[in-house]
Amino acid sequence: LAIRVICAHMPHVDTDFGETEVLAKLVVQYKHLLARKHALLNRIENNTSERDRELLIEATATKYNATLLPIRTVGVQGDARSYNYCVGISCAQDPNWEHLKFFARIIPQVCHSVNRIVFIFGPLVQFPVHEITNTQLCPMVVSTVRQADYLANQVLASAGLTNSISQMPVVLVPVHLDRSPLKTVPSCARAIALRPFLTDDFMTGEPALPGKDIPLEVVHKMVSEVLTVNGISRVFYDITTKPPGTTEWE
């Protein structure tokens, strides 16, 4: 299970963190920010087609937020591995999964230091995340990810869907999203990422899309079960293709 735990004792915040955070927000709020003529909008124009921007206007009619997570996950660029940021997208209502899949393609095109996109279940994320929960491979951490893995896979098996996907990594992520930046005590909560994945050869692949490849009720059941695990505050759903993200996170 070591590759299913993102271990960290301090946040990954490089010099490009602030700009990348703003760019990710510009993508998922494109329609609302277009009129303001933000200085970084040219980065979207330079890395997308006219058709992409038309679709962005359509997709961002819904209120989304993008949160840059201060962690590194493994990805693939050409024949090499990359270790870059992950962006979490949250929504004030039920999301359009086709729009989320579109965001997952556009964000790495615009933000070159991002290689993974997840949807964050629950309410819209209000606070930026600049800290992490200290996470190492200790018995408590391993027990947490084992519980989450068991519960999620039990739901999948009960629905008769185990053979419908190629693999489903369940990953422990050392971030606490609903934490006020004013708090000074260390965080102790984490998140779980579900990664249902479809592939023929594991060289390339697609996320299993809720409502298309997996029934929405099954996905929601997995989320509710995982949230019963002590210390888990949110559940993510990985919507990244391979490339730019690998099947596993580490």
Side-chain angles (χ1 to χ4, degrees):
L1 284 173
I3 59 171
R4 303 283 171 84
V5 177
I6 304 299
C7 294
H9 67 276
M10 61 187 298
H12 173 62
V13 179
D14 231 333
T15 55
D16 62 348
F17 187 91
E19 183 179 271
T20 303
E21 191 171 37
V22 171
L23 279 171
K25 287 182 183 295
L26 284 176
V27 171
V28 302
Q29 298 171 11
Y30 185 70
K31 181 177 181 178
H32 304 289
L33 297 175
L34 195 58
R36 300 184 188 179
K37 298 182 179 180
H38 194 285
L40 289 176
L41 281 173
N42 67 311
R43 295 279 291 275
I44 296 178
E45 293 172 5
N46 293 341
N47 289 282
T48 57
S49 67
E50 185 177 347
R51 179 55 181 157
D52 284 338
R53 294 191 292 277
E54 289 173 356
L55 291 173
L56 267 180
I57 291 172
E58 177 186 327
T60 55
T62 301
K63 184 177 182 180
Y64 290 100
N65 190 25
T67 304
L68 188 63
L69 305 181
I71 60 170
R72 296 197 305 172
T73 81
V74 67
V76 58
Q77 289 181 312
D79 295 328
R81 291 288 175 107
S82 64
Y83 288 89
N84 285 329
Y85 296 116
C86 173
V87 168
I89 300 174
S90 56
C91 189
Q93 60 194 67
D94 289 338
N96 181 313
W97 287 93
E98 291 293 341
H99 289 167
L100 291 175
K101 187 178 178 181
F102 175 64
F103 291 147
R105 176 173 70 83
I106 295 296
I107 290 175
Q109 284 181 206
V110 175
C111 307
H112 298 156
S113 56
V114 171
N115 63 9
R116 195 172 299 273
I117 313 295
V118 298
F119 174 69
I120 303 168
F121 287 96
L124 197 74
V125 175
Q126 299 292 332
F127 303 116
V129 180
H130 296 159
E131 299 294 331
I132 55 101
T133 300
N134 187 14
T135 302
Q136 307 298 329
L137 276 179
C138 62
M140 183 191 72
V141 166
V142 172
S143 175
T144 299
V145 73
R146 278 178 174 157
Q147 282 180 268
D149 182 90
Y150 173 78
L151 291 170
N153 278 286
Q154 279 291 103
V155 172
L156 203 65
S158 297
L161 294 171
T162 302
N163 295 327
S164 299
I165 61 171
S166 306
Q167 191 175 355
M168 188 175 72
V170 177
V171 183
L172 188 70
V173 185
V175 293
H176 184 189
L177 296 178
D178 302 304
R179 173 181 165 81
S180 169
L182 300 178
K183 288 190 176 181
T184 56
V185 295
S187 170
C188 58
R190 300 177 176 87
I192 285 288
L194 306 175
R195 173 64 158 156
F197 192 66
L198 302 174
T199 181
D200 293 324
D201 55 12
F202 285 94
M203 299 298 289
T204 60
E206 297 274 339
L209 212 60
K212 178 183 176 185
D213 304 305
I214 300 181
L216 277 169
E217 57 269 22
V218 174
V219 174
H220 290 148
K221 177 67 172 173
M222 285 196 289
V223 171
S224 63
E225 288 292 310
V226 168
L227 285 173
T228 66
V229 178
N230 190 39
I232 300 303
S233 64
R234 290 276 193 135
V235 177
F236 303 161
Y237 195 97
D238 194 337
I239 48 175
T240 319
T241 59
K242 181 181 180 180
T246 48
T247 310
E248 300 280 1
W249 279 46
E250 184 58 273

